């Protein structure tokens, strides 16, 4: 039977950093707003005992702060949020249907042909609407991802969200240190 450590035990700076990191994860998960994060992180930096840290995390699920002398159970990383359903096509050109491949191939050809016909004076400038129409048709039929690599776009969106979260955490941490 394991002994529960006393809440009166003093904590280290490493414990406070662990608590701030765990609190940041709760904020990025949306459990805390920026004001509540600021209040709780101020309590963490002022905390001296495990009991005081425990009060900050009493209404929050894991992760909680780690303590040096208590072995931590292995925690699986949180699952990725479920992606929105793909518009009728998922992935890149390898997963496209034959009509999608045809429209994707004909689009640059119509653009080149329209430019060539305008440059030679064979047809008037309204011919430029032909490739525009092909592009609009492709988007209307298969959504925005019909001619883009879906995985690249999702990876880029995730990168932007992560960068924004890191910036918010850094700014709030700097505000706390400035108090």
């Amino acid at each position: 039977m394991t002994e529960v450590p006393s809440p009166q035990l003093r904590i280290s700076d490493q414990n406070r950093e662990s608590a701030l990191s765990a609190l940041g994860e709760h904020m990025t998960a949306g459990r805390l707003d920026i004001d509540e994060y600021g209040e709780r992180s101020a309590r963490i930096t002022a905390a001296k005992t495990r009991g005081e840290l425990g009060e900050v995390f009493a209404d929050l699920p894991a992760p909680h702060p780690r303590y040096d002398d208590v072995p931590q159970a292995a925690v699986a990383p949180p699952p990725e949020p479920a992606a929105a359903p793909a518009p009728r096509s998922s992935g890149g050109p390898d997963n496209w249907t034959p009509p999608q491949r045809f429209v994707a191939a004909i689009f640059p050809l119509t653009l080149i042909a329209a430019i060539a016909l305008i440059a030679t004076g064979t047809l008037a400038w309204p011919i430029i609407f032909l490739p525009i129409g092909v592009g609009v048709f492709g988007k209307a039929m298969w959504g925005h991802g019909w001619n883009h690599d879906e995985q690249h776009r999702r990876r880029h969106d995730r990168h932007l969200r992560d960068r924004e979260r890191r910036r918010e955490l850094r700014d709030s941490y700097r505000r706390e240190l400035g108090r």
Side-chain angles (χ1 to χ4, degrees), residues 61-73:
H64 290 163
R66 287 197 221 149
Y67 300 107
D68 303 335
D69 59 340
V70 178
Q72 297 292 314

Side-chain angles (χ1 to χ4, degrees), residues 46-127:
K48 292 184 168 79
T49 65
R50 288 183 179 188
E52 291 171 0
L53 276 186
E55 292 171 6
V56 174
F57 289 90
D59 62 340
L60 294 171
H64 290 163
R66 287 197 221 149
Y67 300 107
D68 303 335
D69 59 340
V70 178
Q72 297 292 314
V75 178
E80 286 289 322
R88 287 186 208 149
S89 163
S90 61
D94 296 337
N95 297 330
W96 287 353
T97 63
Q100 288 173 310
R101 288 175 188 267
F102 175 76
V103 171
I106 201 76
F107 178 74
L109 296 176
T110 57
L111 184 61
I112 292 169
I115 292 171
L117 290 173
I118 291 171
T120 60
T122 307
L123 290 176
W125 64 268
I127 194 70

Side-chain angles (χ1 to χ4, degrees), residues 6-170:
S6 170
Q8 284 78 31
L9 283 177
R10 304 282 288 198
I11 58 172
S12 67
D13 288 339
Q14 186 177 7
N15 298 138
R16 286 185 196 89
E17 288 177 20
S18 171
L20 285 171
S21 175
L23 194 66
E25 290 183 37
H26 289 295
M27 186 179 81
T28 57
R31 293 185 192 101
L32 303 173
D33 61 18
I34 191 73
D35 295 327
E36 192 172 12
Y37 173 81
E39 293 168 9
R40 290 184 188 219
S41 60
R43 287 175 57 194
I44 288 172
T45 55
K48 292 184 168 79
T49 65
R50 288 183 179 188
E52 291 171 0
L53 276 186
E55 292 171 6
V56 174
F57 289 90
D59 62 340
L60 294 171
H64 290 163
R66 287 197 221 149
Y67 300 107
D68 303 335
D69 59 340
V70 178
Q72 297 292 314
V75 178
E80 286 289 322
R88 287 186 208 149
S89 163
S90 61
D94 296 337
N95 297 330
W96 287 353
T97 63
Q100 288 173 310
R101 288 175 188 267
F102 175 76
V103 171
I106 201 76
F107 178 74
L109 296 176
T110 57
L111 184 61
I112 292 169
I115 292 171
L117 290 173
I118 291 171
T120 60
T122 307
L123 290 176
W125 64 268
I127 194 70
I128 197 69
F129 289 114
L130 179 64
I132 293 171
V134 171
V136 169
F137 172 77
K139 184 172 180 179
M141 289 299 292
W142 299 291
H144 181 68
W146 77 275
N147 60 351
H148 298 287
D149 183 9
E150 294 285 333
Q151 291 177 337
H152 174 73
R153 192 171 64 238
R154 273 187 251 138
R155 197 176 315 122
H156 180 69
D157 292 345
R158 189 174 352 160
H159 169 72
L160 293 177
R161 281 192 311 270
D162 291 345
R163 187 170 60 183
E164 179 66 23
R165 288 177 186 154
R166 284 192 303 269
R167 193 178 88 242
E168 288 174 0
L169 287 171
R170 184 187 65 230

